[in-house]
Amino acid sequence: AAVTAYVEQTQQTSPSHLRAARAYRISDRMDLDPFTISSLELVRPAREGQEKGTLLHTLDRTVTGMGRRRLRSLLLAPLTDRAAIEERLDAVASLVGAAFLRDELRECVVRVHDLERLIGKLGNGRLRPQDLLLLLRSLESVPRMVEILSEEQLSEASSALLAALRTRLSSPELDVLRARFAGMLVDQPPADVRDGGFIRPGYSSDLDLLREEARTMRERLAHLEGTERERTGIPSLKVGYNRVFGYYLEVTRTHLDKVPPEYVRRQTLANAERFVTEELRGIEGRIAQTEERAQALEAELYDQAVAVLREAIPRLQESADALAELDVLLALADVAHRYQYIRPTFHDRHGIEIRAGRHPVVERIEEFVPNDLVLPEGRDLVILTGPNMAGKSVFLRQAALVSLMAQIGSFVPAKSAVLPIVDRVFARVGASDMLSSGISTFMMEMLEVAAILERATARSLIILDEMGRGTSTFDGVSIAWAVAEELARRVRAKTLFATHYQELTRLAEEIPNVVNLHVLVKEVGQDVVFLHRVEPGTAEGSYGVHVARLAGLPSHVTDAADRILADLLAEAPLSRLARRELPS
């Protein structure tokens, strides 16, 4: 109410397109905090200028601005109502299975302009003739969509959501508007109503009469030019016009001696003189009067159309919502068909089973190795080990993205996926430095982890990558162990915990619902090959020196690192710690 009052006071009007406030339940949407949205690169890339690295870019096959905004909002707030998710999946499945009809629908939707923005202009009185043309053309595409959605392949039996969209687009009120304003505007109307000339001939008989009268007067001008040439004997005489003096008779200097006395001089040029006559003034006055009446009538017809459409704003908004929804469903179906995604299955149990899962963004950039993630009931926390560059972070993210995609009603990149409904996704992947705010990387990490421990439930999905590395090794292991144990014993959310701390793999010996996974590597002499395969068990080492060699560090530096590493492992202070010396 306060915001609406502010708009009314500052704009001196009450915008008719503003909808009444509607209540909603937070529990109907997945809760994603800013850290998670950033870590998963849902709508913005981690590095500026690389939009292709986002999930939005991968899924965005929408063809309208309002469809893209709807898809973006879905990614930021996925559904948690299983019935609503299944309804959306039914619609996507129907569109995937009807390729020809899907393409026909896309061809119709691509002719729809950004109705939401156009309705906003209509509501606040800023609709121009060009905008009105786009709005009317958008409405003209709707009847064919209704016909396609009525086809047997897309009938109510296969998708209740598509049937509902068909009903929302089938409107007698819209049919009346289309019929009333069909053929109203020319193909290229001016930017401003005051410019006139935007009403198509045949739309208004009164306007056509005025235009015919103006045309007749201009023909009289052409006839007057010939008559005056013949009467005066001045072959170079011509009728002209400019915005300052209006219509005039121009005579070159060589024939000035033939100018009749009734000619009144209006302007002198270097090589000619310009004159007016009473007859010319009379014709000019009638043309100006007729054009002014025609322009006023055009403005009146335009205002009438805008007023009628403004009254229909609620119905137009309903159609815009349906079209945006249809655009998103078509985009998800197109992506599913194009990239061989499959329909996920949901259950009420506390288990995840993703077979041959893939990262939807990474697989579009490079060759990808699919991996399984199987966490049945009684298996809640994964300790994932393996070297840098082996693919741990990608594996973590793909699990979260598959779950998130499934809950917006999208097919997912996997061979099969059986999932629970997740109430929240928490992702702590990569550093979230806030040095400019005086907050260190480690402090920021601890703030994020504190929020996770406070808000996560057993129905949440958590991914943590390299937690604790921003402080000393002993502090890092201690904190990572304590957090992992808290998640496994109390929270019991499905958690993927990637770490270089091999000591954390001992949690699986102490807590029944903890499982160890590792990323496979193959050693070839001093070189290492990353297989990007995730298997049960623990990694044998971190291979940090191998990665340093791949990065091009000088051989004498990496050789020295090998010697130092061997000395440290010989002492192995952490590995000699008794179980009681670690937090429990």
Side-chain angles (χ1 to χ4, degrees), residues 104-407:
E104 264 204 283
L105 277 173
R106 271 179 84 83
E107 290 177 8
C108 292
V109 177
V110 78
R111 293 195 290 271
V112 174
H113 298 273
D114 197 334
L115 276 179
E116 290 177 340
R117 296 247 171 111
L118 293 173
I119 292 169
K121 290 183 177 182
L122 176 64
N124 62 27
R126 296 179 180 175
L127 194 75
R128 301 173 302 169
Q130 295 169 341
D131 300 322
L132 178 58
L133 179 65
L134 297 180
L135 193 154
L136 295 176
R137 283 182 174 175
S138 298
L139 296 182
E140 289 169 2
S141 301
V142 173
R144 179 55 187 152
M145 294 185 216
V146 174
E147 289 179 13
I148 298 171
L149 290 170
S150 300
E151 293 282 348
E152 186 176 351
Q153 280 184 277
L154 300 176
S155 65
E156 187 172 355
S158 60
S159 171
L161 181 53
L162 291 181
L165 292 178
R166 183 178 68 239
T167 301
R168 290 164 64 188
L169 292 172
S170 304
S171 166
E173 186 178 356
L174 290 186
D175 294 339
V176 171
L177 291 177
R178 277 191 294 269
R180 178 168 179 176
F181 301 118
M184 176 183 176
L185 300 178
V186 297
D187 291 336
Q188 293 183 329
D192 197 301
V193 174
R194 292 171 294 183
D195 295 333
F198 53 85
I199 301 292
R200 189 185 294 274
Y203 180 75
S204 167
S205 58
D206 291 340
L207 181 60
D208 290 343
L209 286 173
L210 290 171
R211 286 173 170 171
E212 177 62 23
E213 184 178 344
R215 186 185 65 79
T216 302
M217 290 298 102
R218 289 193 182 90
E219 287 180 354
R220 281 191 62 183
L221 282 175
H223 180 70
L224 177 67
E225 181 178 292
T227 301
E228 288 300 299
R229 280 183 181 179
E230 184 177 346
R231 184 173 74 86
T232 61
I234 303 174
S236 62
L237 184 147
K238 64 180 179 180
V239 175
Y241 174 84
N242 67 32
R243 289 181 177 272
V244 177
F245 296 106
Y247 289 98
Y248 55 82
L249 297 168
E250 185 172 291
V251 179
T252 57
R253 288 193 174 276
T254 56
H255 297 286
L256 287 178
D257 58 331
K258 301 177 183 177
V259 173
E262 66 268 21
Y263 276 29
V264 179
R265 182 178 282 105
R266 292 293 302 271
Q267 187 180 16
T268 300
L269 304 177
N271 299 315
E273 297 278 352
R274 290 175 177 176
F275 303 88
V276 294
T277 66
E278 287 300 321
E279 184 180 5
L280 185 61
R281 283 172 174 167
I283 295 173
E284 180 180 20
R286 289 192 61 183
I287 290 175
Q289 184 181 26
T290 303
E291 288 182 340
E292 185 178 342
R293 288 166 58 197
Q295 190 170 343
L297 181 55
E298 276 197 279
E300 182 181 345
L301 292 171
Y302 181 83
D303 290 341
Q304 289 174 1
V306 169
V308 170
L309 289 169
R310 187 178 285 121
E311 290 296 319
I313 279 179
R315 190 64 194 79
L316 292 172
Q317 289 174 325
E318 178 72 14
S319 298
D321 286 343
L323 290 167
E325 181 84 0
L326 181 60
D327 191 14
V328 170
L329 293 174
L330 288 167
L332 295 178
D334 185 70
V335 168
H337 173 75
R338 184 182 296 261
Y339 302 145
Q340 290 82 53
Y341 292 173
I342 56 92
R343 176 172 181 162
T345 302
F346 290 97
H347 61 171
D348 296 325
R349 299 185 301 279
H350 188 58
I352 296 176
E353 183 180 325
I354 301 173
R355 298 290 181 181
R358 315 187 305 273
H359 192 294
V361 180
V362 176
E363 72 167 348
R364 304 266 55 83
I365 301 170
E366 60 188 51
E367 187 175 351
F368 195 83
V369 178
N371 277 296
D372 297 344
L373 174 62
V374 181
L375 285 178
E377 288 190 274
R379 290 287 186 270
D380 297 321
L381 187 140
V382 169
I383 299 296
L384 179 65
T385 53
N388 288 317
M389 295 182 61
K392 297 195 303 297
S393 296
V394 171
F395 181 72
L396 264 60
R397 284 187 173 98
Q398 82 183 40
L401 292 179
V402 166
S403 180
L404 189 147
M405 286 172 63
Q407 288 188 219

